[in-house]
Amino acid sequence: MTTVVSFENATFVRPPTFYISGLYNMPHAKYYYMFLCFVYTVTILGNSFIMGTIYLARSLHTAKYIAVFNLAFSDLCGSSALIPKYADMFLSENQYISFEDCMTSMFFVFLFMNMQSFTLLSLSFDRVIAICFPLRYHAIVTKTTMTLITGLIWLVSVFLVTIRVALTTRLSFCRSTTVDSYFCDYFPIFTLACSDNSPNYMLAYVNVAVVLCLPLMLIAFSYVCIGVALCKISHGAERIKAMKTCTSHLMLVAMFYLPIISVYITADTTYIHPNNRIINSVLTQAIPPMLNPIIYTLKTEEVLQSIKVLYQRFRVNFAMEDPCENFEKN
């Protein structure tokens, strides 16, 4: 039954549920959702491993890895907010979600998406200071500085998403309640409203500008500065060494921003089948969190060395605690 909520002179019509349409008449769609469950499992294991390594390895207790830990946490929570709930909905063919659960899901999905974008920007700050001002790096990029930056990122992200959800709850839905997406997406939901949704349109463009375009422009500018600084390095070996410290971050930036921006551009410039749009959108949100810890493990020398040290430490501790081994030694 539709809920009517009154605030002073305004009346808001809230549906009890939304219907998440997902993939439409796509054969073998269940295999696709099972694949997403596999992606989620790898994401949980990989990001938990990175977070555990940073926590246990003293050599990684630096300002840079505060941001890396925050990125892994955002990846883990973002995937947890998106994949399990909706994979269960589609696999069990129960695609209705209550209004309150839908708003909660929207909040957390977009919160951690914002966090991923802003955290990549904070990592570019670390790289530009390290290469352009190497002698002042430890004075500028401190644990206190990175903690304050991370705290500010959280505050801005929560503020932006809270406004988005608050504006959505003030809309009336008196027509269709079928959401043409795979989750409680902001744009497909507010376009269903039968009341004035112009503030939501404005906020949607502001969010794209602030959360995607602005960080990407600042990251690009930071790498222009890095490129200029690298050109001033006379020794080729030192230049290559400095460039290698940026490869992991550049790969993360490319994986996060390029698919999302390409989906936005394609949707605005040409017609794409709803199924293709949904598949592309969900992969852009699910694949980067899975690959980020793999890239940081394989491409970052500090992390690899820390993993080796932790492995040796665990082997020694296990050998000391193994009674059979101690007995054989005696």
Side-chain angles (χ1 to χ4, degrees), residues 110-251:
F110 284 104
L111 171 64
F112 292 111
M113 189 185 299
N114 291 2
M115 288 298 302
Q116 290 164 2
S117 180
F118 291 138
T119 304
L120 289 173
L121 177 59
S122 68
L123 284 169
S124 72
F125 164 75
D126 172 85
R127 289 299 83 205
V128 76
I129 300 299
I131 295 175
C132 298
F133 308 99
L135 299 179
R136 299 184 59 193
Y137 174 78
H138 293 290
I140 298 174
V141 185
T142 63
K143 290 182 181 180
T144 302
T145 302
M146 193 58 75
T147 301
L148 290 173
I149 291 174
T150 302
L152 180 62
I153 287 171
W154 275 95
L155 288 174
V156 171
S157 298
V158 169
F159 175 74
L160 290 174
V161 179
T162 300
I163 293 177
R164 180 180 299 192
V165 174
L167 284 178
T168 306
T169 59
R170 296 181 66 83
L171 295 174
S172 289
F173 299 91
C174 48
R175 293 193 293 265
S176 173
T177 57
T178 300
V179 181
D180 186 21
S181 184
Y182 59 97
F183 75 109
C184 288
D185 202 348
Y186 178 61
F187 191 89
I189 285 181
F190 80 72
T191 52
L192 296 174
C194 53
S195 56
D196 180 23
N197 59 10
S198 55
N200 299 79
Y201 271 102
M202 293 177 59
L203 184 62
Y205 289 112
V206 168
N207 271 277
V208 170
V210 173
V211 177
L212 292 177
C213 297
L214 181 60
L216 184 58
M217 290 173 60
L218 292 174
I219 291 171
F221 176 73
S222 70
Y223 274 99
V224 170
C225 297
I226 288 173
V228 172
L230 290 176
C231 291
K232 295 179 181 178
I233 299 176
S234 56
H235 299 289
E238 293 181 3
R239 187 180 303 169
I240 293 173
K241 183 179 179 180
M243 289 175 62
K244 283 184 177 180
T245 65
C246 299
T247 55
S248 296
H249 181 251
L250 277 172
M251 292 176 71

Side-chain angles (χ1 to χ4, degrees), residues 295-324:
I295 291 173
Y296 254 101
T297 302
L298 298 179
K299 289 288 185 179
T300 307
E301 188 65 27
E302 294 169 294
V303 176
L304 283 174
Q305 290 299 324
S306 297
I307 292 171
K308 291 177 183 177
V309 171
L310 288 174
Y311 175 70
Q312 292 297 329
R313 186 196 303 173
F314 286 137
R315 282 191 61 186
V316 170
N317 291 340
F318 180 77
M320 292 177 64
E321 295 175 1
D322 190 342
C324 296

Side-chain angles (χ1 to χ4, degrees), residues 2 26 30 32 60 104 111 161 198 201 214 267 272 277 301:
T2 302
M26 179 178 171
K30 286 192 174 183
Y32 174 70
L60 299 181
T104 302
L111 171 64
V161 179
S198 55
Y201 271 102
L214 181 60
I272 56 175
R277 177 180 58 79
E301 188 65 27

